[in-house]
Amino acid sequence: MSLIVMKFGGSSVGTAERMQRVAQRIIDKKLQGHRVVVVVSAMGDTTDDLIDKSQELNDKPPAREMDMLLTTGEQISVALLAMTIHKLGHEAKSFTGWQAGIVTEAVHGKARISDIAPARLFKALDDGNIAIVAGFQGMTEDGEITTLGRGGSDTTAVALAAAIRADVCEIYTDVDGVYSTDPRVVKNARKLDVISYDEMLELAHLGAAVLHPRAVEYAKHNKVHLVVRSSFTQNEGTLVREEAAMEQGVVVSGIAFDKNVARISILGVEDVPGVLANVFGALAAEGIDVDIIVQSGVQNGKADFSFTVSLTDRAKALGVIENIRSVVSYREATFEEGLVKVSIVGAGMVSNPGVAAKMFDVISKLDVSIKMVSTSEIKCSCVIAAEPLHDVVRALHTAYGLDTADAAFVGGPQDRR
């Protein structure tokens, strides 16, 4: 008897019909002789609806109260799913994140899991139940409810799989695996049978929505057996593991893009030691992630530098920069929106020269300007204007030989968490 964690996103349980289909799939897994722990996201657009309601009453709601509000979405899902399984003649017990023993750091909105005490889950399993856990949430040691941020249900599932030493963690979504790019943009995207943790981590960080980066980090660190598959078909999914054999001739495995990008520029900065440490230290202290950083040459003792943050953090980042003006002298701070980051990823890039050059050439032939560039051993990212994004993705997909003759399967609206 194996122990399996199954995670279903919001689109998978977005309607009563889909909830029933998911319930039957979970029951089938149990009837095969497995012990099953399920992690569920909020149904459909529940979270967005809750956010909209909060904005009607307070456009700057306290972070603690937002966590109190948003965690209700997952609680609705787990209760309804448990009820559905009971209706179908099987035992199930639902748990909030804190009832499942998920302890987090004391940060609202983006908390990280610090510990899991799964005794109640094991008790439910020992009693013959299917254990259903609300994703995306936990509780601090002081008893404060927290959320894990976007993608938090993926993180919940993988962290639980590690804590209970599950044999496999299956992430069910609206596509039947990890593709070479978003199959909604490129209909003939290539489904990957196997991908390495490192490649998947880069794709996730760079905008591929099928898995959240923190979930991949947990999986890699704890060697969780991770599979991405569709909740709408029985097709074999994509296995994420430590190493994946590179397909002959395939240097680039995937193309990711991120629309949640803003560029901030700080102009006329004094060229003295400690400037970058002061700026990025202040941003880090406020929990703002910085991605690409570019500094220009120094003229007359002054320098300019730019960096990217998530679009949602743009206003907060500018506020931080304004607050440190007494420490860091600069002429002005500006921002630019309407940008995207497009990236190529592949373990084969490290041993194949000219991969990045091809990317630049493809983009230039579309008459698109590259505003910023970032590279590593297995990825190259370019920040460009948002408007030509889909044309750029399709052109790159073709240029790196990733097109296939088969149309990709997409079963429903994209999962948010």
Side-chain angles (χ1 to χ4, degrees):
M1 180 181 292
S2 62
L3 179 55
I4 295 177
V5 173
M6 305 172 72
K7 181 265 174 177
F8 294 91
S11 66
S12 299
V13 293
T15 65
E17 180 185 357
R18 291 182 178 185
M19 184 79 75
Q20 290 168 342
R21 182 166 55 233
V22 164
Q24 188 59 59
R25 187 152 196 168
I26 294 165
I27 291 168
D28 291 344
K29 191 74 72 172
K30 184 181 180 184
L31 291 176
Q32 292 169 11
H34 305 295
R35 297 201 297 168
V36 182
V37 175
V38 181
V39 175
V40 188
S41 297
M43 297 174 64
D45 294 326
T46 299
T47 299
D48 290 334
D49 291 341
L50 291 172
I51 292 172
D52 289 343
K53 285 182 173 63
S54 73
Q55 292 294 309
E56 290 176 10
L57 300 170
N58 186 340
D59 60 355
K60 295 182 180 179
R64 178 187 184 277
E65 304 311 322
M66 282 301 294
D67 279 359
M68 289 287 287
L69 176 67
L70 297 183
T71 50
T72 63
E74 277 70 18
Q75 292 174 50
I76 292 170
S77 292
V78 296
L80 290 175
L81 183 57
M83 293 175 190
T84 307
I85 291 173
H86 276 275
K87 178 68 174 178
L88 295 173
H90 292 264
E91 297 297 316
K93 184 172 285 188
S94 64
F95 299 87
T96 63
W98 45 96
Q99 287 175 324
I102 298 174
V103 182
T104 75
E105 62 184 4
V107 176
H108 289 292
K110 295 181 180 179
R112 289 183 174 270
I113 295 173
S114 55
D115 192 22
I116 297 180
R120 295 185 70 176
L121 298 183
F122 282 124
K123 176 65 166 57
L125 293 171
D126 291 342
D127 289 343
N129 289 282
I130 295 166
I132 306 174
V133 180
F136 176 66
Q137 60 186 246
M139 181 177 283
T140 69
E141 292 182 352
D142 295 333
E144 290 291 324
I145 293 173
T146 55
T147 61
L148 309 182
R150 291 289 185 177
S153 292
D154 285 350
T155 305
T156 300
V158 177
L160 277 175
I164 65 177
R165 299 182 183 275
D167 295 280
V168 64
C169 178
E170 297 181 338
I171 305 293
Y172 289 83
T173 183
D174 54 337
V175 293
D176 57 357
V178 179
Y179 278 82
S180 52
T181 194
D182 189 337
R184 300 167 191 81
V185 175
V186 180
K187 300 301 182 184
N188 297 101
R190 175 190 300 237
K191 194 186 88 170
L192 309 176
D193 294 328
V194 183
I195 190 171
S196 70
Y197 288 128
D198 287 338
E199 288 176 305
M200 188 67 248
L201 187 57
E202 287 284 10
L203 286 172
H205 271 301
L206 296 169
V210 70
L211 277 176
H212 191 270
R214 276 195 286 173
V216 184
E217 289 172 358
Y218 268 106
K220 176 178 171 63
H221 180 73
N222 294 284
K223 292 183 170 54
V224 173
H225 190 171
L226 188 59
V227 176
V228 179
R229 58 192 313 177
S230 173
S231 56
F232 301 96
T233 74
Q234 297 294 330
N235 296 345
E236 291 296 325
T238 299
L239 171 63
V240 186
R241 68 184 188 190
E242 185 60 45
E243 292 183 359
M246 187 173 66
E247 184 178 338
Q248 185 66 33
V250 176
V251 176
V252 172
S253 298
I255 298 168
F257 54 87
D258 184 2
K259 298 178 181 179
N260 186 25
V261 177
R263 177 167 70 167
I264 294 177
S265 298
I266 305 180
L267 310 176
V269 181
E270 292 285 347
D271 182 35
V272 296
V275 169
L276 295 180
N278 286 329
V279 171
F280 296 110
L283 292 168
E286 294 298 321
I288 298 171
D289 291 326
V290 174
D291 187 15
I292 302 174
I293 304 171
V294 175
Q295 180 172 338
S296 65
V298 178
Q299 291 185 347
N300 300 320
K302 306 285 186 178
D304 301 336
F305 65 90
S306 301
F307 57 92
T308 59
V309 296
S310 68
L311 195 58
T312 50
D313 280 339
R314 191 264 302 164
K316 186 178 180 182
L318 286 171
V320 170
I321 293 167
E322 179 62 31
N323 289 339
I324 62 171
R325 197 160 194 168
S326 60
V327 178
V328 177
S329 176
Y330 61 88
R331 187 175 73 253
E332 64 175 324
T334 64
F335 69 90
E336 183 178 2
E337 298 181 354
L339 303 174
V340 292
K341 179 174 64 176
V342 61
S343 309
I344 57 173
V345 176
M349 291 174 60
V350 66
S351 56
N352 287 270
V355 179
K358 178 185 283 190
M359 181 181 193
F360 304 149
D361 182 58
V362 169
I363 294 174
S364 70
K365 285 179 178 176
L366 292 173
D367 198 27
V368 175
S369 297
I370 297 173
K371 297 175 180 289
M372 303 176 81
V373 176
S374 174
T375 63
S376 74
E377 289 184 338
I378 66 170
K379 65 96 174 174
C380 180
S381 299
C382 296
V383 175
I384 62 173
E387 184 177 355
L389 171 64
H390 289 183
D391 290 337
V392 168
V393 170
R394 294 185 187 107
L396 289 171
H397 200 268
T398 299
Y400 289 106
L402 296 174
D403 294 345
T404 67
D406 301 322
F409 173 82
V410 180
Q414 186 173 352
D415 284 339
R416 302 293 180 90
R417 286 218 290 273

